[in-house]
Amino acid sequence: MRLVAPRLGQAGLTDDAEVSVKLSALGLGLKSGEEIALRHAREVCAAAATVGAKVTLDMEEHRTVDAALGIGNTLRQDFPLTGNVLQANLRRTEHDLATLAQSYAAEAPARIRYVKGAYKESVQVAFRSKKEVDRAYQRGIDRLMSAPGLRPMLGTHDPAMLDYGLVAADAAGRTTTAWEMQLLFGVRPDLQQRYAAAGQTVRVYLPFGRDWYPYFMRRLAERPANLAFFLRSLRSTRSRIARNSASVG
């Protein structure tokens, strides 16, 4: 982060930049891991704050949820823009959203990236079918949009869910600046462009650093549909480049 923050500042991106980190990469799995991860996450937040960037704590498998939410709540005391991720497929998430909604006010809302969830979990702790996950995701969208103390960040490439978010936001009286969509770089750029052109706030999630490639491939592999979207986008981009090169030649 000490390297990323200055570069974001130099590029003039800090007003819109969000840095996402996994707590497991900050020591959460070690002995006294929660204390270690909090200390390191605080350093990341402090570095981001020097250039005006925001930090969001990624969510991992279900046993890390309490630690991630606890660390997020602690960090928001000094860094109010720190975000958390919640996964719709986990059965506990609706309760977690309700708790967060009661804990924060409109003046200082908690930033929540809401995803469907990519970790393979047991049926005891997670919904397994697509229909169940989609229904849970919609219920979560309703909760997020109606809670003044939460800022929804919908992390999905599912146009049906994004369109549902538009309807829910309108019903809740949210402006386009009071919530946002978040999509992976290279996956459904058509959706990104369409919603941005319509005036929605759209954030593109870009892997960064030496290990960006294996990370990106893991994200694609987690959901085969994402890989299909990416390959179609890549094919379309290559065709466009070929056409442009031919016209120039």
Side-chain angles (χ1 to χ4, degrees):
M1 188 62 208
R2 292 189 182 92
L3 297 176
V4 175
R7 294 183 65 176
L8 288 172
Q10 292 165 8
L13 297 174
T14 49
D15 287 342
D16 298 315
E18 172 186 320
V19 178
S20 295
V21 296
K22 286 190 177 296
L23 292 173
S24 61
L26 302 182
L28 185 61
L30 302 175
K31 184 177 180 180
S32 302
E34 192 165 343
E35 178 183 343
I36 294 170
L38 173 59
R39 183 171 70 251
H40 290 158
R42 189 181 296 279
E43 292 174 359
V44 171
C45 288
T50 61
V51 294
K54 298 176 283 290
V55 174
T56 295
L57 308 178
D58 280 338
M59 190 61 77
E60 301 177 74
E61 53 91 21
H62 77 277
R63 287 172 294 186
T64 67
V65 175
D66 286 329
L69 291 178
I71 290 173
N73 288 332
T74 299
L75 289 171
R76 277 189 285 274
Q77 296 174 20
D78 297 316
F79 305 99
L81 294 179
T82 303
N84 272 111
V85 177
L86 286 176
Q87 302 169 103
N89 68 327
L90 294 183
R91 297 179 184 276
R92 60 170 289 170
T93 294
E94 289 183 66
H95 173 74
D96 291 330
L97 280 171
T99 300
L100 285 163
Q102 295 172 356
S103 302
Y104 292 90
E107 296 75 19
R111 298 170 56 255
I112 302 297
R113 179 190 301 146
Y114 192 50
V115 301
K116 288 189 177 181
Y119 290 86
K120 187 174 182 179
E121 304 279 9
S122 71
V123 69
Q124 286 74 31
V125 300
F127 301 113
R128 300 291 293 271
S129 73
K130 182 181 186 303
K131 182 178 292 187
E132 285 181 310
V133 174
D134 283 351
R135 287 175 177 170
Y137 198 84
Q138 290 176 331
R139 291 194 300 270
I141 288 176
D142 289 334
R143 170 75 70 175
L144 282 161
M145 295 299 182
S146 63
L150 302 179
R151 176 182 170 82
M153 305 183 295
L154 304 187
T156 178
H157 303 95
D158 185 340
M161 296 300 109
L162 293 173
D163 286 342
Y164 189 90
L166 290 171
V167 174
D170 185 63
R174 282 191 180 261
T175 65
T176 57
T177 59
W179 68 288
E180 62 188 64
M181 302 173 177
Q182 299 192 349
L183 296 89
L184 280 170
F185 177 75
V187 180
R188 297 305 305 265
D190 57 318
L191 287 182
Q192 299 168 21
Q193 294 165 6
R194 182 204 311 170
Y195 289 119
Q200 298 303 130
T201 301
V202 178
R203 190 181 302 275
V204 178
Y205 191 94
L206 174 68
F208 179 83
R210 290 177 300 178
D211 297 326
W212 72 269
Y213 182 75
Y215 172 85
F216 187 52
M217 295 309 294
R218 285 197 302 273
R219 296 289 79 77
L220 292 178
E222 283 166 354
R223 290 194 175 278
N226 286 351
L227 180 57
F229 290 143
F230 174 73
L231 291 176
R232 283 199 294 270
S233 298
L234 179 62
R235 184 167 59 247
S236 175
T237 300
R238 292 181 64 181
S239 297
R240 187 166 59 251
I241 291 173
R243 288 195 302 271
N244 291 339
S245 298
S247 64
V248 170

